């Protein structure tokens, strides 16, 4: 038998995403074969297309870190009774718990093959069960941006009921952070530059929405909305850390998740004046993934999906995601 997989060289652009046939892979010791049912795209996939992803990417990698499917074969040392389980895989296979370290750098869809394939070989130690109420399409949205959002919120000091969380825009991390913050009892102030998306953010539970185009000094507005105190948590996905620091309360936390709007310099005086802690976030560990899933299950949360594309239309899925028009995750079914 043969299977099909997409392959890509970092920096090759969408034209470099090619579909190939391979012999049906056989799991080795400690591995399982997963029949992938769905994958989802995140910003890292666009960075790999452009060639500016911060971690190593091997030549002709099978891309996409996120996916969910069913175990169809087990290698030596794996309980064969696991065949048939619905599972996801962590982005960093060796990162089980504790702080991130260089030993955990190998990552799925980068230095390791990813999930944009019909059958994926995955280490048993990196498996995470799919929450029972989620479809494969919903589960496929979790491994990268959902775990990142969970780590950003809870990796140091989780928000307590009544505290304020600021989210930025309507990308995957921000939408998950909004959902998790509300589930934890926090007040959420969301920022956006799109009035149409502002209404949707309110519908998803945002207590306040600040249009950063209409109100360029949105940190000042956050302070107004918090009685001058500032936010307890700011989830920074834009790279404009100075603004996030000005929006944060003394003793607050700024989670540095990404730089979708480009990086900007930080005035050290702003950092000292803020009294806030800045934490860079590298997705999260398997234990954080499992803890997140408990909250997802307990609250009956469903990831927001913008659109679903079939496997043969992966290029169209990438184009739609890159357009910036999606509100919610872009999923590719296999």
């Amino acid at each position: 038998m043969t299977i099909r997989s997409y392959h890509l060289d970092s920096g090759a652009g969408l034209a470099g995403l090619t579909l190939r046939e391979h012999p049906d892979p056989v799991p080795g010791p400690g591995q399982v074969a997963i029949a992938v049912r769905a994958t989802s795209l995140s910003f890292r996939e666009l960075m790999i297309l452009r060639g500016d992803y911060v971690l190593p990417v091997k030549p002709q990698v099978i891309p996409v870190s996120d996916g969910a499917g069913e175990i169809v074969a087990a290698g030596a040392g794996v309980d064969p009774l696991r065949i048939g389980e619905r599972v996801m895989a962590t982005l960093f296979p060796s990162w089980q718990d504790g702080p991130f370290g260089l030993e955990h750098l190998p990552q799925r869809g980068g230095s390791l093959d990813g999930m944009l394939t019909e059958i994926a070989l995955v280490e048993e130690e990196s498996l995470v069960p799919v929450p029972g109420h989620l479809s494969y399409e919903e589960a496929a949205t979790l491994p990268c941006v959902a775990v990142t959002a969970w780590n950003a919120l809870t990796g140091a000091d989780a928000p307590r009921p009544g505290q304020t969380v600021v989210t930025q825009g309507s990308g995957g991390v921000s939408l998950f952070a909004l959902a998790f913050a509300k589930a934890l009892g926090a007040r959420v102030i969301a920022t956006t530059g799109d009035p149409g998306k502002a209404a949707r953010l309110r519908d998803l539970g945002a207590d306040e929405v600040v249009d950063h185009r209409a109100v360029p000094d949105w940190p000042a507005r956050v302070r107004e909305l918090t009685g001058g105190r500032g936010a307890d948590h700011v989830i920074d996905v834009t790279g404009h850390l100075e603004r996030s620091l000005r929006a944060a309360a003394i003793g607050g936390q700024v989670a540095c998740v990404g730089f979708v709007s480009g990086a900007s310099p930080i005035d050290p005086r702003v950092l000292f004046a803020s009294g806030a802690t800045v934490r860079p976030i590298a997705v999260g560990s398997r234990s954080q993934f499992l803890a997140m899933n408990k909250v997802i299950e307990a609250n009956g949360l469903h990831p927001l999906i913008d659109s679903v594309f079939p496997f043969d239309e992966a290029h169209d899925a990438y184009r739609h995601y890159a357009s910036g028009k999606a509100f919610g995750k872009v999923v590719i079914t296999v």
Side-chain angles (χ1 to χ4, degrees), residues 28 77 83 90 99 117 134 171 252 256 287:
I83 294 174
T90 58
T117 177
L134 297 186
C256 178
S287 67

Side-chain angles (χ1 to χ4, degrees), residues 43 148 167-174 177 191 234-241 244 255-262:
F43 188 69
T148 298
T167 62
Q168 298 176 344
S170 55
V173 170
S174 298
T191 70
V234 181
I235 312 302
D236 189 303
V237 300
T238 67
H240 294 162
L241 282 173
S244 295
C256 178
V257 174
F259 33 89
V260 296
S261 297

Side-chain angles (χ1 to χ4, degrees), residues 131-331:
H133 69 292
L134 297 186
S135 66
Y136 282 121
E137 290 81 2
E138 292 171 321
T141 70
L142 300 181
C144 182
V145 297
V147 177
T148 298
W150 180 257
N151 185 5
L153 278 173
T154 69
D157 183 16
R160 297 181 293 278
Q163 288 192 328
T164 300
V165 174
V166 170
T167 62
Q168 298 176 344
S170 55
V173 170
S174 298
L175 292 179
F176 276 113
L178 168 56
F180 295 150
K182 295 304 294 182
L184 295 171
R187 177 192 185 203
V188 175
I189 301 173
T191 70
T192 182
D194 186 330
K197 290 181 178 179
R200 300 190 69 179
L201 289 166
R202 289 190 183 92
D203 289 342
L204 291 173
D207 299 278
E208 303 282 352
V209 180
V210 178
D211 185 335
H212 63 74
R213 295 188 189 277
V215 185
D217 192 1
W218 62 264
R221 180 59 179 153
V222 168
R223 290 196 168 276
E224 289 177 10
L225 292 170
T226 55
R229 181 175 182 276
D232 302 282
H233 292 258
V234 181
I235 312 302
D236 189 303
V237 300
T238 67
H240 294 162
L241 282 173
E242 188 166 313
R243 297 177 191 176
S244 295
L245 287 165
R246 290 197 292 112
I250 293 176
Q253 296 183 44
V254 176
C256 178
V257 174
F259 33 89
V260 296
S261 297
S264 62
I266 305 174
D267 185 338
R269 292 169 295 183
V270 175
L271 179 60
F272 278 97
S274 73
T277 299
V278 178
R279 293 178 57 236
I281 305 299
V283 191
S285 66
R286 182 174 179 271
S287 67
Q288 289 175 311
F289 200 156
L290 293 170
M292 177 193 77
N293 281 353
K294 289 180 180 178
V295 171
I296 289 174
E297 291 185 292
N299 291 274
L301 299 179
H302 287 272
L304 182 63
I305 293 176
D306 172 87
S307 49
V308 179
F309 292 80
F311 188 69
D312 289 334
E313 297 177 15
H315 290 80
D316 292 333
Y318 269 87
R319 289 188 190 97
H320 179 62
Y321 180 71
S323 74
K325 297 177 181 178
F327 190 93
K329 293 291 287 179
V330 175
V331 173

Side-chain angles (χ1 to χ4, degrees), residues 53-112:
Y53 186 48
V54 295
L55 295 178
V57 178
K58 73 174 186 175
Q60 286 298 291
V61 67
I62 298 174
V64 183
S65 62
D66 292 15
E70 176 187 353
I71 297 176
V72 293
V78 178
D79 187 345
L81 293 178
R82 300 202 67 173
I83 294 174
E85 285 185 19
R86 300 196 315 145
V87 294
M88 304 163 287
T90 58
L91 192 150
F92 294 102
S94 71
W95 188 13
Q96 296 294 304
D97 200 359
F100 186 73
L102 291 177
E103 69 273 21
H104 303 311
L105 277 182
Q107 19 81 46
R108 210 173 307 282
S111 57
L112 305 172

